[in-house]
Amino acid sequence: MGEQALTTDYYEPDVSNLVTENDTPVDNLFSEKEQRLLTSSLYSSWQGRTFLSSSNVGIFHSTDAPPIVPDVFVSLNVQPPENWWEKRNRSYFVWKFGKPPELVIEIVSNREGEELGEKLNIYAQIRVSYYIVHDPIRQLSDSPLRVFELRGMRYFEISENWLEQVDLGVTLWEGEFEGSRDTWLRWCDRQGNILPTGDERNWQAEQRATEAEHRASEAERRAQLLAEQLRNLGINPDTIS
């Protein structure tokens, strides 16, 4: 009996009739900025890591159900397909990427989004490890930030903001982003330090360069002052080794 050839082919559902984009703008100004802040800072700070983070992109977990569209998601160890204009590559199809995202964020703008109801249940069903609800004006509860971790088949709310499975934390940060001051949801490291955006990294680099230049200038000024004092004492500073 001859050996049976192994194949890596797998069944890929037909997605030609699925609606992957509807071009309907629904976000408010804060949510739009918040989404960009979260995605851009992650790409600026996680250079060298393989991941995909997007906002308002549909997650298809079944061809028989409409997608769920989180404000932000993060999926580790995956990257966009090379030809992302093809219909089968335009959204996050769970069967194509081989897993759901590890983390999703919903930003509450009203009481109709079902962030603590239907959406929470769907994310649990598709096995998203962490579900984060940012409620900046406290529409749903007294807490502006709620973090849920999947344990078994259901979510449990956790008090800590460090997400061990993704090596990432979240925190509320009061500051200015793109000229707007507010309390923003930010990524952070284990020590609570925020992950900076590209602009913040550039500003920090400029600050370090300015401080280094100031220190060098101050050292030069002190050297000149010392040399002048030595000359006043009749000592030639150039002869001192």
Side-chain angles (χ1 to χ4, degrees), residues 128-145:
V128 173
S129 299
Y130 293 104
Y131 176 43
I132 298 170
V133 178
H134 183 206
D135 189 1
I137 55 176
R138 296 170 173 81
Q139 297 261 25
L140 304 182
S141 68
D142 292 333
S143 176
L145 177 61

Side-chain angles (χ1 to χ4, degrees), residues 13-147:
D14 180 14
V15 299
S16 59
N17 294 324
L18 297 181
V19 178
T20 56
E21 308 107 311
N22 60 19
D23 298 322
T24 302
V26 295
D27 282 324
N28 57 59
L29 292 173
F30 173 84
S31 295
E32 189 275 334
K33 281 186 178 292
E34 177 73 273
Q35 292 162 16
R36 282 191 294 106
L37 173 57
L38 288 165
T39 54
S40 66
S41 59
L42 202 57
Y43 278 102
S44 295
S45 300
W46 265 11
Q47 296 178 10
R49 294 189 64 173
T50 302
F51 69 97
L52 175 62
S53 181
S54 293
S55 59
N56 282 322
V57 171
I59 299 174
F60 285 84
H61 53 96
S62 169
T63 56
D64 299 325
I68 188 165
V69 187
D71 287 310
V72 175
F73 75 75
V74 179
S75 185
L76 304 181
N77 302 315
V78 301
Q79 53 190 352
E82 291 184 3
N83 186 358
W84 57 16
W85 287 114
E86 290 185 15
K87 181 78 169 183
R88 62 194 183 97
N89 294 332
R90 287 192 175 191
S91 296
Y92 193 100
F93 296 107
V94 171
W95 54 84
K96 188 171 184 65
F97 285 95
K99 65 181 182 65
E102 277 77 13
L103 182 155
V104 297
I105 296 174
E106 292 286 358
I107 303 168
V108 180
S109 57
N110 54 53
R111 299 187 179 185
E112 301 174 3
E114 287 291 325
E115 285 85 2
L116 297 179
E118 182 181 6
K119 285 184 179 179
L120 182 146
N121 293 330
I122 292 175
Y123 289 130
Q125 291 171 10
I126 65 178
R127 315 293 296 156
V128 173
S129 299
Y130 293 104
Y131 176 43
I132 298 170
V133 178
H134 183 206
D135 189 1
I137 55 176
R138 296 170 173 81
Q139 297 261 25
L140 304 182
S141 68
D142 292 333
S143 176
L145 177 61
R146 301 180 69 174
V147 181

Side-chain angles (χ1 to χ4, degrees), residues 123-193:
Y123 289 130
Q125 291 171 10
I126 65 178
R127 315 293 296 156
V128 173
S129 299
Y130 293 104
Y131 176 43
I132 298 170
V133 178
H134 183 206
D135 189 1
I137 55 176
R138 296 170 173 81
Q139 297 261 25
L140 304 182
S141 68
D142 292 333
S143 176
L145 177 61
R146 301 180 69 174
V147 181
F148 299 87
E149 182 180 46
L150 188 68
R151 298 174 183 173
M153 300 299 295
R154 55 176 292 207
Y155 280 123
F156 288 82
E157 188 167 4
I158 58 177
S159 57
E160 64 270 19
N161 294 345
W162 177 251
L163 315 175
E164 188 69 38
Q165 297 182 48
V166 292
D167 195 30
L168 189 63
V170 289
T171 188
L172 294 176
W173 173 81
E174 185 175 348
E176 186 173 303
F177 174 62
E178 295 183 346
S180 298
R181 176 165 290 275
D182 212 312
T183 301
W184 307 91
L185 179 63
R186 300 289 301 263
W187 306 115
C188 66
D189 62 19
R190 191 183 290 271
Q191 288 72 42
N193 303 308

